[in-house]
Amino acid sequence: MTATSSTAGSAQTVGRAIQLLRLVASSQARHLRLVDIAEMAALDKSTAHRLLQRLVQERMLVRDAGHRGYRLGPLLYELGLAALPETSLRELSQGALQQLARGTGDMAFLVVRSGFESVCLDRIAGNFAIQTMTQGVGDRHPLGVGAGGLAILAALGEAEVKVVLKAIAPQLRRYRLTDRALRERREAARERGPALDEGSAALDVTAIGRPIRDRAGAPLAAVFVASIRSRMTEVRLRDVDKRLVACVTAIESALPR
């Protein structure tokens, strides 16, 4: 084996290991089984098992006694703490997100883009009697799933959207989505302005979101508001969207130059 082929093989192994970490992180089941991981990653079970075992050795994954599956390990948390910038997006956004939750009375969420996924950074409850917990902090979903991920996907250029949709295609079945349906939702969001999710993230829940763009105009995150469907009338959706725009403007103004 030449040095070049050895390097390429090592790079492929690293890529596969990262793919497995993403799959475990995005799973709704907190203990994802080997057979499920291998299927979603399109790997044979022996290759997937070898990679998983090494990730367990490095404390990136944990396999608890009594459970057949894998969950994220402590090393990832430790690395995440070290990677936090002095002023994180969550800190910058907290005041505007709190105002959004107070103004709407509903749960307000902040999600950030992470490759082909969105990750929930924060959620703040409003004062309405029924609060919809559609996402928890740390939850990951493919871009396009949920109002926040859909807002980010809708703000991407056509070339990048093709790459994203190809990458997330194997996961769409878990969300009862198809490539065509996701494309249609993206087009609807681009035409409408805000991204609207009606019942796909959670039954009888409607969510509306807007992207947050960096100084270069690229979507790096999104904010969205979720509530029970009967509460989200067209009139109220317009009011919530105005508050979303104000929230996004405040956050974008606070981003470092």
Side-chain angles (χ1 to χ4, degrees):
M1 180 182 291
T2 66
T4 301
S5 61
S6 177
T7 301
S10 298
Q12 185 181 48
T13 299
V14 171
R16 285 175 171 173
I18 292 173
Q19 181 189 18
L20 298 190
L21 290 173
R22 288 183 181 277
L23 288 172
V24 173
S26 63
S27 172
Q28 296 299 302
R30 292 307 178 190
H31 294 84
L32 203 59
R33 299 179 306 163
L34 167 62
V35 62
D36 299 321
I37 294 172
E39 181 181 356
M40 289 188 288
L43 296 173
D44 60 76
K45 287 173 62 176
S46 60
T47 300
H49 183 261
R50 185 172 64 252
L51 290 170
L52 290 168
Q53 289 299 102
R54 185 54 189 268
L55 290 171
V56 169
Q57 291 172 14
E58 298 295 337
R59 299 172 56 244
M60 288 189 168
L61 289 178
V62 172
R63 194 175 188 187
D64 293 332
H67 291 280
R68 297 175 59 192
Y70 297 84
R71 63 175 176 83
L72 297 182
L75 181 59
L76 292 177
Y77 175 74
E78 296 161 13
L79 294 175
L81 290 177
L84 284 174
E86 292 182 5
T87 305
S88 70
L89 179 61
R90 181 178 182 178
E91 292 171 342
L92 286 173
S93 305
Q94 201 157 58
L97 200 66
Q98 288 174 342
Q99 187 172 347
L100 179 63
R102 285 195 301 267
T104 62
D106 294 309
M107 188 74 73
F109 298 82
L110 170 69
V111 297
V112 66
R113 182 183 179 185
S114 174
F116 303 128
E117 298 173 311
S118 66
V119 184
C120 183
L121 286 188
D122 202 2
R123 68 179 188 186
I124 297 177
N127 56 15
F128 184 61
I130 302 174
Q131 296 293 300
T132 53
M133 311 287 189
T134 58
Q135 288 193 31
V137 174
D139 285 356
R140 307 176 71 96
H141 299 286
L143 287 181
V145 173
L150 182 58
I152 296 172
L153 185 69
L156 295 176
E158 293 297 331
E160 192 168 8
V161 167
K162 290 180 180 179
V163 175
V164 170
L165 292 180
K166 182 178 180 181
I168 68 174
Q171 301 183 58
L172 294 182
R173 187 174 60 178
R174 295 166 52 198
Y175 298 90
R176 300 185 300 277
L177 282 172
T178 63
D179 180 276
R180 180 176 178 178
L182 197 50
R183 289 178 186 274
E184 289 174 351
R185 291 185 183 190
R186 175 180 177 266
E187 288 305 312
R190 290 175 68 86
E191 292 176 7
R192 183 183 184 116
L196 193 64
D197 182 275
E198 298 180 286
S200 70
L203 189 64
D204 292 328
V205 171
T206 295
I208 181 172
R210 286 270 183 178
I212 299 169
R213 299 176 185 269
D214 62 20
R215 295 293 181 180
L220 63 87
V223 289
F224 71 93
V225 171
S227 189
I228 54 175
R229 180 176 297 176
S230 60
R231 181 168 162 82
M232 291 297 218
T233 63
E234 279 297 323
V235 172
R236 189 159 188 282
L237 282 172
R238 288 195 291 270
D239 178 68
V240 172
D241 187 42
K242 289 179 182 178
R243 297 178 187 276
L244 278 171
V245 171
C247 179
V248 167
T249 300
I251 294 171
E252 290 179 344
S253 298
L255 293 175
R257 296 186 181 276

